[in-house]
Amino acid sequence: MSIPADLKYTASHEWIKTNADGTVTVGITAHAQDLLGDMVFVENPVVGRTLAAGEECAVVESVKAASDVYAPIAGVVVASNSEVESAPEAINQDAYAAWMFTIKPTDSADVAGLMDAAAYQALVESEAH
Amino acid sequence: MLKQTPLNAAHRDMGAKMVDFGGWDMPVNYGSQIEEHHQVRNDVGMFDVCHMLVVDVKGGDVRGFLRGLVANNVDKLTVSGKALYSCMLNPEGGVIDDLIIYFMTEDWFRIVVNAGTAKKDVAWMQQQAAGRALTITPRRDLAMIAVQGPNARAKVWEAIPGSQSVTEAMKPFNAVEFQQYYIARTGYTGEDGFEVMLPVAEADAMWCKLAGLGVKPIGLGARDTLRLEAGMNLYGQDMDETTNPLESGLAWTIDLKSERDFIGKSALQSRDINMQLVGLLLLDKGVLRAHQVVNTKHGAGEITSGTFSPTLQQSIALARIPLGIAPGAEVTVTVRDKQLKAKVVSYPFARNGHSLI
């Protein structure tokens, strides 16, 4: 399972990409979609919603299970990907292209506290045993 | 330590994602559960069902023993090879297990029971058989491979030379012994096909032979969506020892008409029936799951099995709801913090390659 080096990660298997304008885009990792299997339902947070770090803010459901998605950092939702809600299987096809929502961080320094690719790789490997 | 079937290595070689399934290390899928589902509806697939247990009951008056042991009437079995689906009840009328009984001869009936209940089932059978001249033999020396789908029978005929002539005219829910194989026209998918029992030592070779003939392996994930579309109950979800089978869509298997007495009969006759098992079709977006609450005008019920249906491309469920709610009625299901609209429907939802809704 790929773990792009230019992204940040959480222990709950979200990936976080920092955009040029300071916003951050969130999705679930390739490892997470592999655990869940065929994705059939996605519900993103609405634009304008204020999120606390760690708050349950979205849901992804595969045929076999539902899983919550958590806000990696505090902020306000500024974009939500309706395409992935219409075609959840996009997450299985390319988890890092199938973004879910974008947050304007309350404090842009918060992103620095998230896991890097190496730390996330170690987490995935430890979960496999 | 998880229990392994004789096909464990084959699953890993085929790239299966393995999961703990009731203490057994089993394949949940080999890539895409949805693709595997369509593969069975449209063509052919094979399932490792070696975790299920074959039990042979032999001796004098096996039929008399089974008349009292199970809720369906084994006197319906008059022709060798004929199979019967039945529940085995406890004295309170709760379901110990659901099983398939094959009649072979008056001194040999074969029973196939669920993996998770196998130990309990055999103990119960042995307890009930005390004092009878019977042997109850668990056959862990037999493997079982289910080959299912519109092209399933043809593939088995290719894989087992000579089997076509003895099984081609065989109707569904019948079985025949052929060489070292026991071939039953049964399954858990709503498609045609065979369940083949064979010596454990030959299971891997048969699996690989079928694969070589183009039969794709299918995991337990698709097995669940196929059986739910086909409107078949799953033990432990849709019924168990605490549920009344008459409230679990199993009335058709409970013989209350004949004079015959069986374990659980008097309890069932004295219990009120307030609930029914129905199908639900989700009208809103989302996925129905077991244990979600169903809200009806006659009170609340509960989903017993729910999933996304690959054939219908929407979510379906079996639910136990109050009597008096008929097909066509609209109900709501509490999913997280929302009330989603669903329609009550008659099930099965899909069989033989297409939707029935």
Side-chain angles (χ1 to χ4, degrees), chain A residues 34 38 40-41 43 59 61-66 85, chain B residues 17 32-34 225 285-287 289 307-308 336 338:
Chain A
D34 183 57
D38 294 316
V40 293
F41 177 73
E43 189 173 45
V59 174
E61 296 209 35
S62 67
V63 179
K64 69 174 194 248
E85 288 183 321
Chain B
K17 180 183 294 297
S32 165
Q33 171 174 347
I34 290 177
T225 50
K285 285 189 76 164
V287 186
R289 306 280 183 195
T307 192
F308 174 84
R336 289 180 286 273
K338 293 196 177 81

Side-chain angles (χ1 to χ4, degrees), chain B residues 8-327:
Chain B
N8 193 277
H11 297 315
R12 291 170 185 280
D13 289 347
M14 290 176 165
K17 180 183 294 297
M18 305 296 286
V19 294
D20 175 350
F21 183 79
W24 290 82
D25 187 39
M26 298 298 284
V28 64
N29 66 59
Y30 301 80
S32 165
Q33 171 174 347
I34 290 177
E35 279 172 28
E36 289 166 26
H37 179 105
H38 293 314
Q39 176 68 29
V40 173
R41 281 266 174 270
N42 302 324
D43 184 8
V44 56
M46 60 183 175
F47 302 80
D48 175 0
V49 283
C50 298
H51 57 315
M52 296 180 75
L53 180 66
V54 179
V55 181
D56 280 334
V57 186
K58 292 188 173 182
D61 198 24
V62 181
R63 188 184 289 276
F65 167 64
L66 295 175
R67 271 193 200 113
L69 184 77
V70 299
N72 208 338
N73 192 349
V74 291
D75 287 339
K76 293 173 185 170
L77 302 173
T78 54
V79 180
S80 181
K82 187 76 187 104
L84 182 74
Y85 173 76
S86 181
C87 292
M88 184 165 69
L89 307 180
N90 62 26
E92 295 73 46
V95 185
I96 295 173
D97 199 6
D98 64 332
L99 34 83
I100 294 182
I101 301 171
Y102 299 89
F103 164 58
M104 300 313 292
T105 63
E106 285 304 329
D107 54 10
W108 174 29
F109 284 66
R110 171 163 283 187
I111 305 178
V112 177
V113 304
N114 281 305
T117 50
K119 205 172 163 182
K120 168 182 86 167
D121 291 352
V122 172
W124 177 255
M125 288 176 195
Q126 283 171 332
Q127 188 187 329
Q128 299 311 312
R132 288 176 177 262
L134 292 174
T135 57
I136 293 171
T137 312
R139 298 293 306 271
R140 277 290 171 212
D141 57 311
L142 292 178
M144 186 153 52
I145 298 171
V147 187
Q148 302 279 296
N151 298 317
R153 292 198 306 151
K155 291 295 179 185
V156 171
W157 292 334
E158 265 187 277
I160 305 176
S163 62
Q164 183 169 355
S165 58
V166 290
T167 60
E168 192 163 16
M170 191 169 77
K171 290 193 164 59
F173 250 73
N174 280 274
V176 67
E177 273 189 299
F178 175 71
Q179 297 167 354
Q180 68 273 43
Y181 307 102
Y182 188 92
I183 306 173
R185 197 172 173 188
T186 48
Y188 196 47
T189 59
E191 297 300 321
D192 199 355
F194 289 132
E195 287 174 312
V196 180
M197 300 167 211
L198 70 168
V200 158
E202 295 179 36
D204 188 69
M206 177 56 61
W207 184 262
C208 293
K209 192 169 186 182
L210 286 162
L213 293 167
V215 181
K216 298 276 194 303
I218 311 294
L220 292 178
R223 185 168 165 83
D224 191 55
T225 50
L226 288 159
R227 71 91 193 168
L228 189 44
E229 284 186 355
M232 295 172 175
N233 285 40
L234 172 61
Y235 187 82
Q237 275 195 206
D238 305 307
M239 73 293 197
D240 59 26
E241 294 197 20
T242 68
T243 53
N244 182 338
L246 301 174
E247 295 182 332
S248 309
L250 293 163
W252 64 279
T253 73
I254 311 274
D255 163 42
L256 294 171
K257 290 191 191 74
S258 70
E259 291 297 294
R260 177 185 66 98
D261 193 24
F262 59 84
I263 298 165
K265 183 179 184 181
S266 58
L268 285 186
Q269 286 172 319
S270 64
R271 281 166 74 170
D272 290 336
I273 300 173
N274 306 308
M275 306 293 272
Q276 58 177 336
L277 199 74
V278 299
L280 293 181
L281 195 61
L282 184 64
L283 302 174
D284 286 329
K285 285 189 76 164
V287 186
L288 300 174
R289 306 280 183 195
H291 308 302
Q292 288 168 347
V293 174
V294 183
N295 310 287
T296 81
K297 64 181 182 187
H298 294 323
E302 186 183 16
I303 288 179
T304 56
S305 288
T307 192
F308 174 84
S309 160
T311 304
L312 276 61
Q313 287 291 301
Q314 66 192 111
S315 182
I316 59 171
L318 294 176
R320 192 174 290 112
I321 66 169
L323 289 175
I325 309 287

Side-chain angles (χ1 to χ4, degrees), chain A residues 15 34-35 44 60 65 70 81 98-99:
Chain A
W15 58 258
D34 183 57
L35 288 177
N44 283 326
V60 289
Y70 303 89
N81 186 358
W99 64 279

